[in-house]
Amino acid sequence: MPRTGVFLQKSCLQHRYIRTRDSSHIVERPERLRAVSVGLAAAVARLEEITPHISQSATGAGGTKPTSTEKDADDLTKALGKLQLSTTSRSEIIAQTPVAFVHSEASVNLLNHPAVKFVHGDIERDIYLESLKLWTEDSQDKVNKGQSEIPEGFSQGDLYLCPGSLNAIQGALGTVCEAVDAVLESFQPLSDSSNDERLTKQAFVAIRPPGHHCGEDTPSGFCFVNNVAVGAAHAHLKHNINRVVIFDIDLHHGNGTQAIAWGINEDTYRKQLEADQGAPAGNPGLQIYYGSIHDILSYPCEDGKAELIQAASVSIHGPHGQHIENIHLEPYASEQDFWDRLYPTQYLRLLKKAGEFIENTGGPRDDTLVFISCGFDACEHEYPSMSRHQRKVPTSFYHRFARDAKAFAERYARGRVISVLEGGYSDRALSSGAMAHLIGLVDTGAAGVDEKWWSLENLTTLEAATKKRRGGRPSQTIPPAPWLARTVEIFASIDSSHSVPAAPRAPIPPSSRTLRERKPPSSMSTTTVKSSPPTSPGNTGGAKSGAHAKTNQAAPSAATTSGSESDLTDVSSGGNSEKGSGVTQKKLPRVILKLGPSPNT
């Protein structure tokens, strides 16, 4: 059975919010990848329960040299073996399930990678890419000076950068390109068809920051480069893929991806017209079908801008070389209503139009690749603030759509599908969506997959078993269910969130406020007394050390001091205010009680 590769990238955890010390309002956070890993681990644990044992050695039949993906699988098997799992068979994760985890270290250079320049570069000079690199390098200094690291003219609310963002962005792009290479290079002609298990037909790439809102030179909506568009360009430039199908299932319209696809299609169409008029034909250009299911009421259309709403509603197939389909999410009364009314008649139109694109551009050929811009923010478990328009999908949607997209790819693209993480912000939406989606990419339609695996009850149990504690490691409580125990074991081997040091935060600006001076009350004696030493930092504003303070009628009381003084002085001095006030404590007379003999003596 062909394997599904799961590509993880540790450097993506370095992209953090540093503008202020309060990041509670930031939803695009490094912890998103941890939640995804929980779902992926649960998916593999569940698949182990239904996948038959593969008796063949991991080296392949007849001692055939394993592919790079199999080598990664073997390395993971050895790593899991070191965990001292309960049984020998439990360490054979890759031998039992058609899933291979790849801990990628791939990275690209923004300024010289051909696919990045194809999407985000300029003819004469890569102004945007150079600027993006400079913004990340200067981000900490900008924040330290009390400035924003994001230049004026760009959204300050949904964009942020830090010095580690460049590593995250370049690592994300490198991992997508690595997944493209793994899927396409594994399809080199094989001399023995029995080696089908060597193929990596599908891939899921867990990266951040997301990309589908970023246009050629317009970062927005958490996105600074377009990961899927760069992956498509890489497939075209390196592997001669000339037709790319992109299914975008994020809650929000991928306005950046659609704009990039439109520009590429326009350029290819122009070259075709010129060739028809006698110009040299040259190499075939890239043609992209972009299809999106999204909430038309949400970002980027939420403000009602006509051009964004129109772009998110376009349906054009063929004229001017464009192949675009947009479908708006609708509310549903029940899950049964969703599957009976919306999914087969509305949402599967995305695949139908993609099939027409393939048929009208030459039919099934080897030069075709399918991408999924996979956002989990339309999930029923997303934050209410994110899905406030009630345009949602049940978690099972991510399983069934992945299975249907895989069937589409089997018909038109030799089964080659690469799914790339986009949105999804609550932990439950991410973990449940990732679990269902990976199982859908692996699912062959045979009996065994149970959609109750991601029921609310099982999700609650899963969250308790993998609950994060201090230090970032999962809870050590051993869950009773075998699949939960196995999930914890797998999760511990793939999660990297605990190993990345915290990024520096914005410094607290110095305060110009000072504590008010403690003066003795005017009603006390005018005798000179020696000041008591301060007992806390909050009392350093009292009389000078070694000096004497006088009480007199002109001394201001606490009630008449300047209104600019901070109320924090009362907090800092606490119950010790009398100790540093310079007021003489009244001495009580010494009383000695003399007791007579006991009356009983």
Side-chain angles (χ1 to χ4, degrees):
M1 179 185 294
R3 300 190 189 279
T4 298
V6 177
F7 291 77
L8 311 173
Q9 174 56 261
K10 181 179 177 180
S11 69
C12 290
L13 296 165
Q14 298 181 34
H15 178 58
R16 295 174 179 266
Y17 180 81
I18 63 170
R19 196 176 306 159
T20 65
R21 298 177 68 86
D22 180 15
S23 60
S24 60
H25 60 292
I26 301 299
V27 296
E28 206 297 287
R29 55 205 162 85
E31 292 78 8
R32 294 176 63 231
L33 295 183
R34 184 186 189 277
V36 169
S37 293
V38 169
L40 297 175
V44 173
R46 289 296 197 179
L47 287 169
E48 281 186 346
E49 295 179 338
I50 64 171
T51 303
H53 290 268
I54 300 176
S55 59
Q56 188 177 8
S57 170
T59 57
T64 305
K65 184 178 179 181
T67 64
S68 59
T69 304
E70 283 183 304
K71 184 179 183 300
D72 290 320
D74 293 340
D75 292 341
L76 180 61
T77 302
K78 294 176 182 178
L80 290 173
K82 296 178 182 179
L83 295 176
Q84 298 180 351
L85 307 183
S86 57
T87 63
T88 304
S89 63
R90 287 299 191 184
S91 65
E92 299 172 357
I93 174 177
I94 303 303
Q96 293 185 29
T97 59
V99 176
F101 286 96
V102 178
H103 294 267
S104 175
E105 297 182 356
S107 181
V108 304
N109 188 315
L110 281 181
L111 302 183
N112 63 19
H113 192 273
V116 179
K117 294 168 71 71
F118 185 90
V119 174
H120 295 291
D122 299 316
I123 296 177
E124 296 181 357
R125 178 185 170 193
D126 301 328
I127 298 176
Y128 171 65
L129 296 174
E130 292 174 0
S131 299
L132 177 58
K133 187 172 184 290
L134 185 62
W135 297 341
T136 59
E137 292 172 347
D138 294 345
S139 59
Q140 191 66 60
D141 290 338
K142 290 275 190 181
V143 170
N144 290 344
K145 294 175 182 177
Q147 304 172 2
S148 173
E149 78 284 8
I150 300 299
E152 289 187 23
F154 296 108
S155 173
Q156 302 294 316
D158 55 20
L159 294 175
Y160 67 85
L161 289 168
C162 72
S165 296
L166 184 63
N167 291 336
I169 292 169
Q170 294 185 149
L173 292 173
T175 306
V176 172
C177 293
E178 182 180 25
V180 170
D181 292 340
V183 168
L184 295 179
E185 289 176 357
S186 69
F187 274 79
Q188 300 300 322
L190 300 174
S191 57
D192 186 354
S193 60
S194 65
N195 287 331
D196 185 58
E197 71 275 3
R198 294 174 52 191
L199 302 180
T200 301
K201 278 192 172 186
Q202 298 85 34
F204 177 74
V205 187
I207 54 171
R208 58 177 290 273
H212 73 149
H213 291 306
C214 183
E216 180 181 332
D217 57 359
T218 52
S220 66
F222 311 136
C223 307
F224 292 93
V225 294
N226 198 299
N227 303 310
V228 168
V230 171
H234 179 71
H236 172 63
L237 296 174
K238 183 176 180 179
H239 300 284
N240 297 317
I241 294 295
N242 297 319
R243 296 182 302 177
V244 167
V245 171
I246 300 175
F247 298 126
D248 191 332
I249 57 174
D250 192 275
L251 173 68
H252 308 100
H253 180 236
N255 53 320
T257 306
Q258 180 172 306
I260 291 171
W262 191 285
I264 292 174
N265 287 339
E266 185 177 41
D267 188 57
T268 299
Y269 183 65
R270 176 182 55 81
K271 292 179 180 179
Q272 289 176 344
L273 293 178
E274 293 173 350
D276 292 342
Q277 299 299 319
N283 295 325
L286 176 60
Q287 294 176 289
I288 299 178
Y289 165 86
Y290 174 77
S292 174
I293 304 174
H294 55 267
D295 177 15
I296 192 64
L297 300 177
S298 291
Y299 182 91
C301 305
E302 194 164 30
D303 292 337
K305 293 182 179 179
E307 64 275 15
L308 294 175
I309 295 174
Q310 291 166 2
S313 305
V314 166
S315 177
I316 181 172
H317 302 279
H320 305 284
Q322 300 300 333
H323 310 277
I324 309 291
E325 180 67 15
N326 284 288
I327 300 171
H328 300 162
L329 286 168
E330 299 179 18
Y332 56 93
S334 65
E335 223 175 294
Q336 189 68 36
D337 178 46
F338 179 89
W339 295 116
D340 290 346
R341 179 175 60 89
L342 293 179
Y343 189 74
T345 61
Q346 299 287 338
Y347 302 156
L348 282 185
R349 193 168 77 245
L350 210 65
L351 279 70
K352 177 183 177 182
K353 292 297 183 181
E356 294 175 2
F357 161 72
I358 298 297
E359 296 294 348
N360 294 333
T361 55
R365 296 197 309 251
D366 289 346
D367 66 345
T368 308
L369 182 62
V370 177
F371 282 91
I372 301 176
S373 273
C374 188
F376 298 120
D377 40 3
C379 179
E380 59 187 316
H381 302 303
E382 185 54 273
Y383 292 131
S385 59
M386 188 66 65
S387 55
R388 55 190 173 276
H389 303 295
Q390 303 303 311
R391 266 63 175 177
K392 304 177 183 180
V393 297
T395 304
S396 295
F397 166 83
Y398 298 104
H399 167 253
R400 297 200 198 181
F401 187 86
R403 191 178 62 187
D404 291 339
K406 177 182 175 182
F408 172 90
E410 290 288 353
R411 180 176 180 182
Y412 292 113
R414 300 184 66 184
R416 300 175 296 193
V417 182
I418 300 173
S419 182
V420 180
L421 179 64
E422 295 285 359
Y425 304 101
S426 80
D427 287 352
R428 183 170 291 178
L430 288 162
S431 60
S432 63
M435 185 201 316
H437 188 65
L438 178 58
I439 291 174
L441 290 175
V442 175
D443 189 7
T444 60
V449 173
D450 187 352
E451 294 186 352
K452 292 182 181 179
W453 288 346
W454 43 84
S455 67
L456 184 59
E457 179 182 358
N458 283 329
L459 291 176
T460 303
T461 306
L462 174 63
E463 290 161 5
T466 58
K467 183 178 180 180
K468 187 176 182 181
R469 63 171 188 167
R470 290 191 177 184
R473 303 300 293 175
S475 171
Q476 296 301 307
T477 303
I478 300 177
W483 74 270
L484 274 177
R486 185 61 178 143
T487 296
V488 172
E489 292 169 349
I490 298 170
F491 173 67
S493 72
I494 65 175
D495 177 47
S496 300
S497 61
H498 60 278
S499 62
V500 178
R505 297 288 185 177
I508 300 177
S511 175
S512 60
R513 298 180 294 183
T514 58
L515 302 178
R516 67 171 176 261
E517 182 179 357
R518 295 288 183 176
K519 296 290 182 73
S522 58
S523 61
M524 300 301 291
S525 170
T526 58
T527 56
T528 302
V529 296
K530 186 174 182 179
S531 174
S532 301
T535 59
S536 72
N539 292 327
T540 57
K544 292 181 181 179
S545 175
H548 292 78
K550 281 189 177 180
T551 59
N552 52 62
Q553 298 295 330
S557 65
T560 60
T561 53
S562 170
S564 64
E565 294 168 347
S566 173
D567 291 337
L568 291 175
T569 55
D570 294 332
V571 176
S572 61
S573 58
N576 297 327
S577 59
E578 290 183 350
K579 293 183 180 181
S581 64
V583 179
T584 303
Q585 300 288 331
K586 184 178 180 179
K587 295 183 178 181
L588 297 176
R590 184 179 182 186
V591 178
I592 300 177
L593 299 178
K594 293 184 178 181
L595 302 177
S598 173
N600 297 327
T601 59

